Amino acid sequence: MLTQTPIAELPFLGDEVVASYDTARVVILPIPYEATTTYRKGCEHGPAALLEASHQVEYFDEEFDREFWPVGIYTHEAIADTRRGPVSAEEMLKQTQETVAKLIADGKFVIGLGGEHSITTGLVEAYRQANDEPFTVVQIDAHGDLRHEYEGSIHNHACIMRRVVDMGLPTLQIGIRSICKEEADLIKEKNLKVFRAREIAMNPGWIDEAVASIATQKVFFTIDLDGIDPTLMPGVGTPEPGGLHWYAMMTFIRKVFEAHDVIGADVMELAPISDSVVSEFTAAKLVYKLIGYQAVVKGWL
């Protein structure tokens, strides 16, 4: 459902639990940027829809028998907002990198909300510059996103993980079920770690194997919502059948948080469907779970 409410009036979870920037441990960063969508458009409306849906999320988490909002959650003003007019890829990446760099310097745990997946380049670059040691980018996605360029742009949403590989960072791809030959060749050439959706469906031990394959202590999560099966997450730009299911995905994510130091995350490619709220609500609950897992492992509560 498309919302006309300005993002500034949509703090994550609602006004009742909003924290000031200075006291917040977590910053939600809306980036409603869309420029290279190649199928179903509308992801620039994803952040606002997610934030509005978050007002319906229960504060109490039944998995951990507690509420997570007391960690302090601050919703940043939107950046690179193409709903207000065109924004170049270069300007979007500049705004994203500079904003995230400041948030990192201030000690915030950042969760970016997209918007199209190309945004992730700016977030990852900010973390790369802020960290002396390498970290693994763990991608949940239907698509490899490993093309060098697509439709004339190296900053197309289909190229984000190629940009990460070019940065020299290790990657782990989860739920992949759509790649082109160029991407298949690169996976073999670089020996990239990929847990394909088809293989996941036939391997009950995939979660432990995937977590054990992460060689770095630090991890950045990038979650393209089309990694989830479209029967559960229809509101995306490029749906693919056969994706991840909720409890398997959340078990994997929780185990990564418990075994590694998750330094930041993003949730991308929500494209709301008129007269339906299931996708944005599911995405909002996913964001709250990310906050909860970080709060538990860091001992914030």
Side-chain angles (χ1 to χ4, degrees):
M1 181 179 297
L2 300 185
T3 177
Q4 302 303 316
T5 307
I7 283 179
E9 299 176 19
L10 292 170
F12 187 74
L13 296 184
D15 294 322
E16 296 83 358
V17 296
V18 68
S20 69
Y21 181 81
D22 289 340
T23 61
R25 287 189 172 98
V26 177
V27 170
I28 306 295
L29 177 62
I31 313 171
Y33 170 85
E34 180 173 19
T36 70
T37 304
T38 49
Y39 193 11
R40 181 174 171 272
K41 300 185 184 301
C43 64
E44 65 184 357
H45 300 291
L50 187 156
L51 291 170
E52 184 173 55
S54 75
H55 296 188
Q56 306 304 318
V57 172
E58 289 285 0
Y59 303 155
F60 185 81
D61 184 89
E62 53 83 25
E63 182 179 2
F64 287 99
D65 198 36
R66 59 176 37 168
E67 296 181 341
F68 295 131
W69 65 265
V71 303
I73 305 168
Y74 177 82
T75 304
H76 196 282
E77 64 181 353
I79 63 171
D81 190 346
T82 55
R83 299 172 306 163
R84 299 184 176 185
V87 178
S88 70
E90 292 74 18
E91 178 59 26
M92 176 273 291
L93 293 173
K94 180 176 183 291
Q95 288 185 33
T96 302
Q97 183 179 333
E98 290 178 353
T99 302
V100 175
K102 181 183 184 305
L103 297 176
I104 294 170
D106 288 344
K108 308 302 183 183
F109 181 72
V110 182
I111 301 178
L113 303 183
E116 68 173 58
H117 210 173
S118 61
I119 296 164
T120 299
T121 301
L123 282 106
V124 172
E125 180 60 23
Y127 278 97
R128 190 179 72 85
Q129 293 193 15
N131 284 272
D132 295 330
E133 59 186 279
F135 56 91
T136 299
V137 177
V138 176
Q139 171 201 17
I140 292 176
D141 206 321
H143 308 90
D145 290 349
L146 288 165
R147 300 171 192 259
H148 175 68
E149 62 88 24
Y150 192 64
E151 295 190 339
S153 173
I154 64 170
H155 298 305
N156 189 285
H157 70 101
C159 307
I160 166 55
M161 292 307 290
R162 182 61 173 268
R163 302 287 77 79
V164 172
V165 170
D166 290 347
M167 291 179 198
L169 293 171
T171 63
L172 172 61
Q173 298 179 289
I174 301 292
I176 306 302
R177 52 200 188 275
S178 179
I179 56 174
C180 69
K181 186 177 185 303
E182 175 192 352
E183 294 172 301
D185 290 344
L186 185 73
I187 289 168
K188 294 173 184 175
E189 175 192 342
K190 300 286 189 180
N191 195 27
L192 301 179
K193 297 175 184 176
V194 181
F195 282 72
R196 302 170 195 257
R198 172 176 44 80
E199 298 163 342
I200 284 172
M202 296 184 289
N203 178 9
W206 77 269
I207 292 175
D208 289 338
E209 292 175 18
V211 175
S213 75
I214 302 172
T216 64
Q217 181 56 30
K218 294 184 177 182
V219 164
F220 179 90
F221 257 115
T222 181
I223 302 174
D224 185 326
L225 292 169
D226 65 28
I228 303 172
D229 193 272
T231 58
L232 307 175
M233 179 60 65
V236 294
T238 47
E240 282 282 344
L244 299 177
H245 285 253
W246 178 258
Y247 288 112
M249 179 178 71
M250 298 315 301
T251 299
F252 167 70
I253 292 173
R254 176 176 174 173
K255 288 193 174 186
V256 173
F257 270 88
E258 291 172 341
H260 297 271
D261 178 13
V262 178
I263 57 177
D266 65 43
V267 175
M268 297 294 174
E269 299 275 354
L270 173 65
I273 296 174
S274 297
D275 300 321
S276 173
V277 295
V278 63
S279 298
E280 44 263 53
F281 182 83
T282 302
K285 187 155 188 175
L286 170 60
V287 171
Y288 195 47
K289 296 294 288 186
L290 296 176
I291 295 169
Y293 291 151
Q294 185 74 336
V296 169
V297 300
K298 294 295 185 182
W300 288 346
L301 296 170

